[in-house]
């Protein structure tokens, strides 16, 4: 039963992507309902169906068989090229420490899918150790592609902060607060700015607000506790 539920999850996840819509037929779902999901999907390999290859790759990756998963992602991509499969393929290559191959593929895929947020962020993270300024450019592109994608702003803040561009980092936080007024992450980053300045009094308000928004987060809780303690010492 657990295997069936997991496989159904993969199917519905894949079907949410427009490139996969219509790939699975009604009889496929009847097989899923009968409890023979994994067997049906694996048996479909000879059909050369991109969705079947993708789902098998997902199952192999879930089982830790990354090398085999890479092969099936490659087959799936060859039949149905799209940014979703490209990202999965590159991720498996990185998981096997095939850095050079992954970078070549990522550069090619970015030319093919310049509006893929995940590919842009992947490149930003990979290139950051060599060039944080280039990483900033890739991350900024994501905010232009999707202005309401909060993780991109978080990454952009950390990159600006790490290269000492504190004014730009603050602007990013201010924009996050405007765009995401209920964001604990934005308040936590504002707290970080004040802590860096050793301004514990100003740090108290955003730290408290972050705690009120996301009290179950360990980092938020510890930050708030630290700020409270520092204010009590004064």
């Amino acid at each position: 039963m657990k295997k069936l539920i997991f496989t159904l999850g993969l199917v519905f996840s894949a079907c949410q992507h427009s490139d996969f819509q219509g790939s699975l037929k009604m009889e496929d779902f009847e097989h899923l309902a009968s409890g023979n999901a994994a067997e049906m999907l694996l048996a479909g390999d000879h059909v050369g169906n991109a969705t079947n290859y993708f789902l098998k790759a997902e199952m192999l990756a879930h089982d830790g068989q990354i090398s085999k998963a890479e092969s099936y992602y490659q087959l799936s991509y060859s039949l149905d090229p799209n940014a979703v499969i490209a990202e999965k393929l590159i991720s498996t290559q990185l998981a096997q420490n095939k850095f050079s191959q992954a970078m070549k593929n990522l550069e090619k895929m970015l030319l093919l899918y310049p509006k893929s947020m995940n590919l842009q962020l992947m490149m930003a993270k990979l290139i950051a150790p060599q060039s944080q300024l280039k990483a900033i450019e890739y991350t900024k592109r994501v905010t232009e592609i999707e202005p309401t994608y909060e993780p991109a702003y978080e990454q952009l803040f950390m990159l600006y902060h790490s290269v000492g561009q504190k004014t730009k980092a603050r602007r990013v936080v201010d924009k996050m607060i405007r765009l995401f007024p209920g964001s604990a992450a934005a308040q936590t980053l504002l707290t970080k700015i004040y802590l860096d300045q050793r301004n514990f009094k100003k740090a108290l308000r955003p730290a408290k607000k972050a705690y009120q928004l996301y009290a179950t987060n360990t980092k938020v809780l510890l930050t708030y506790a630290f700020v409270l303690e520092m204010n009590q010492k004064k």
Side-chain angles (χ1 to χ4, degrees):
M1 180 58 71
K2 289 182 179 179
K3 191 174 188 180
L4 174 59
I5 293 172
F6 168 70
T7 308
L8 281 169
L10 292 176
V11 172
F12 291 131
S13 175
C15 288
Q16 286 175 348
H17 188 267
S18 60
D19 293 312
F20 292 127
Q21 289 178 1
S23 296
L24 292 179
K25 300 176 183 177
M26 182 57 68
E27 56 262 36
D28 294 335
F29 287 98
E30 290 173 355
H31 279 293
L32 289 173
S34 71
N36 297 318
E39 288 76 8
M40 182 277 294
L41 291 171
L42 297 180
D45 288 343
H46 67 281
V47 179
N49 185 292
T51 303
N52 287 345
Y53 287 145
F54 178 85
L55 294 174
K56 180 165 184 178
E58 290 282 272
M59 287 187 284
L60 288 167
H62 181 267
D63 290 338
Q65 300 183 59
I66 307 300
S67 180
K68 288 184 179 180
E70 179 190 352
S71 298
Y72 279 93
Y73 282 131
Q74 185 67 66
L75 285 169
S76 180
Y77 183 83
S78 67
L79 293 170
D80 182 18
N82 64 72
V84 173
I85 304 176
E87 180 198 349
K88 292 283 188 176
L89 174 61
I90 295 167
S91 294
T92 59
Q93 292 169 345
L94 290 171
Q96 298 172 83
N97 295 318
K98 297 180 178 179
F99 185 79
S100 177
Q101 183 179 358
M103 282 296 291
K104 288 179 181 178
N105 281 332
L106 185 52
E107 289 170 353
K108 180 177 71 174
M109 297 305 177
L110 282 172
L111 293 175
L112 294 172
Y113 314 108
K115 292 187 177 181
S116 169
M117 294 188 300
N118 290 336
L119 290 176
Q120 294 284 355
L121 284 178
M122 183 183 288
M123 176 60 87
K125 290 176 181 178
L126 289 178
I127 207 169
Q130 288 78 40
S131 175
Q132 291 180 320
L133 293 179
K134 286 185 178 180
I136 286 172
E137 292 305 311
Y138 281 108
T139 308
K140 283 173 66 178
R141 287 175 198 168
V142 177
T143 65
E144 294 165 2
I145 294 168
E146 180 49 75
T148 60
Y149 188 59
E150 188 177 9
Y153 291 96
E154 293 182 60
Q155 183 166 312
L156 188 58
F157 168 85
M158 297 308 297
L159 286 166
Y160 277 136
H161 187 270
S162 64
V163 296
Q165 296 187 21
K166 296 181 180 180
T167 300
K168 290 184 177 180
R170 176 59 191 261
R171 287 175 186 164
V172 171
V173 173
D174 290 341
K175 187 172 183 178
M176 286 180 69
I177 292 173
R178 289 196 304 273
L179 290 172
F180 319 109
S183 168
Q187 297 298 330
T188 299
L189 294 179
L190 182 56
T191 303
K192 178 176 175 59
I193 289 174
Y194 289 134
L195 288 178
D196 288 345
Q197 298 170 355
R198 306 291 293 178
N199 193 331
F200 301 113
K201 185 176 181 180
K202 282 191 174 182
L204 184 58
R205 184 176 179 181
K208 181 179 181 179
K209 191 166 185 179
Y211 174 72
Q212 291 171 336
L213 291 167
Y214 199 1
T216 57
N217 182 276
T218 302
K219 182 180 179 180
V220 169
L221 175 61
L222 291 176
T223 300
Y224 182 43
F226 173 74
V227 173
L228 278 174
E229 182 180 354
M230 297 308 294
N231 274 277
Q232 289 171 0
K233 285 183 178 181
K234 288 193 170 186

